[in-house]
Amino acid sequence: MSATTTPTPPGAASAAGPKPLNASRTGASRPRRAPRPGRVLLLASLAAAACYFLLPVYWLIVAATKTTEKLYGSTGLWFDRPQLLRSIGEILSYDSHIYLRWALNSLLYAGVGAALATLLAAAAGFALAKYRFRGREAAFKAVLAGVLLPHTALALPLYLLFNKIGLTNTYWAVLIPSLVSPFGVYLCRIFAESAVDDTLLEAARVDGAREGRIFFRLVLRIMSPALVTVFLFQFVGIWNNYFLPLVMLSDDRKYPITLGLTTWQTAADRVPQLIQYTVGGAFLSVIPLAVAMLVLQRYWRTGLTEGSLKG
């Protein structure tokens, strides 16, 4: 005896009402979880730290839009008849465009010095990581000792040395010391040991590639995240360097921005408008650092995701 099925009358399903949607899709019946106290505390701490570090930058932006009178006669954290473009024009044209000369000097010192220092650090770090030679560990320990030495302690011996060979008050007096980066050598060696595979180097040598071509065409591409880090550290360090140019240079046409702004600040007692020029010049000096950080940060993201793409 076969079982019979009763057909469902048309419209019965609609009369019974629509079926409830999946609660996991709509989320209507899922209770909203309260944030954890630890997460709230972490976000609050990060927000407070961000405000702490960004408040001087905000004040610098606001102060750069004011005149010398408004700089002291108005609220420090809010705008008062801003005239940023006019202030920038006055800064750039003051004293026969001396600020532009300082900016070009800083770009020369920081750009060329950081690029060459990064290349030398990459070569030294790669050699210490992948080549076996006598005295390798002693050389690496000497590099580590160089990391611990403050730059101010080396300024006077460097001045005496450069004075003997007649290079003081020249661009070389600031450029040559900037080519040495012990921290860059240390970082490049650590990165080369973990990222550059020995089998890859052997395969390139079997294919007939020379050591120079392997380094410039293969190793530098693999080490690009570390090189970007070294370049930014060196660029910021040279850009903000004050004591070495102060010791080495006597011609104000060769000053970097840091030393030039200091001369404006010391002369503000005689020329009050230099107070506002110093604030505006400090604001302009931050822009290249911010641009370099924004442009080069994508290489960090690329280096962080390279390992996830390898099978």
Side-chain angles (χ1 to χ4, degrees):
M1 182 174 179
S2 61
T4 60
T5 58
T6 304
T8 303
S14 60
K19 294 181 179 181
L21 297 175
N22 192 353
S24 62
R25 293 183 179 180
T26 59
S29 61
R30 177 182 295 178
R32 192 170 186 178
R33 296 181 180 179
R36 298 178 181 178
R39 184 178 179 84
V40 174
L41 181 61
L42 176 61
L43 293 177
S45 302
L46 292 177
C51 293
Y52 175 79
F53 288 110
L54 292 178
L55 183 61
V57 180
Y58 172 75
W59 178 88
L60 187 63
I61 296 173
V62 173
T65 63
K66 299 180 180 181
T67 60
T68 305
E69 294 78 12
K70 295 295 182 181
L71 194 60
Y72 293 99
S74 63
T75 304
L77 296 179
W78 195 244
F79 301 92
D80 189 350
R81 297 180 181 179
Q83 45 182 2
L84 180 60
L85 296 180
R86 178 182 175 183
S87 299
I88 292 176
E90 293 176 354
I91 293 169
L92 298 181
S93 61
Y94 180 76
D95 193 13
S96 302
H97 308 281
I98 188 64
Y99 186 86
L100 289 176
R101 184 64 179 264
W102 294 341
L104 292 177
N105 292 338
S106 293
L107 288 175
L108 174 65
Y109 297 142
V112 177
L116 294 179
T118 303
L119 181 61
L120 294 176
F126 173 69
L128 290 172
K130 295 301 178 180
Y131 291 97
R132 302 292 184 267
F133 55 90
R134 181 178 299 177
R136 186 184 67 163
E137 294 303 323
F140 185 63
K141 291 178 181 178
V143 171
L144 293 180
V147 176
L148 303 177
L149 289 177
H151 295 288
T152 54
L154 300 176
L156 185 57
L158 284 175
Y159 172 78
L160 297 176
L161 177 62
F162 278 79
N163 189 36
K164 286 290 185 180
I165 59 179
L167 288 181
T168 53
N169 198 28
T170 63
Y171 290 105
W172 296 108
V174 181
L175 272 176
I176 294 178
S178 302
L179 303 182
V180 180
S181 176
F183 173 75
V185 176
Y186 167 77
L187 182 63
C188 287
R189 180 190 177 174
I190 299 301
F191 192 87
E193 287 180 345
S194 60
V196 181
D197 195 356
D198 292 335
T199 57
L200 185 63
L201 300 177
E202 293 298 330
R205 294 187 182 105
V206 169
D207 289 340
R210 296 182 179 273
E211 297 300 322
R213 186 174 183 181
I214 292 175
F215 176 73
F216 286 103
R217 300 293 298 273
L218 184 63
V219 174
L220 289 183
R221 293 185 180 182
I222 298 175
M223 296 177 61
S224 58
L227 300 184
V228 171
T229 304
V230 174
F231 178 83
L232 280 179
F233 270 95
Q234 197 71 3
F235 186 89
V236 174
I238 300 173
W239 186 275
N240 294 329
N241 195 0
Y242 168 76
F243 194 66
L244 180 65
L246 176 65
V247 172
M248 293 292 185
L249 303 176
S250 58
D251 185 5
D252 61 347
R253 306 294 294 180
K254 298 182 176 68
Y255 284 176
I257 290 180
T258 52
L259 190 55
L261 292 179
T262 304
T263 59
W264 277 0
Q265 185 180 9
T266 54
D269 295 336
R270 302 186 303 272
V271 186
Q273 63 181 355
L274 288 180
I275 298 176
Q276 198 279 332
Y277 290 175
T278 303
V279 175
F283 166 72
L284 292 178
S285 68
V286 175
I287 295 178
L289 301 179
V291 171
M293 184 69 67
L294 293 175
V295 170
L296 296 177
Q297 68 176 350
R298 65 187 184 93
Y299 292 98
W300 280 328
R301 292 197 299 265
T302 302
L304 291 175
T305 57
E306 271 183 354
S308 62
L309 300 178
K310 296 179 180 179

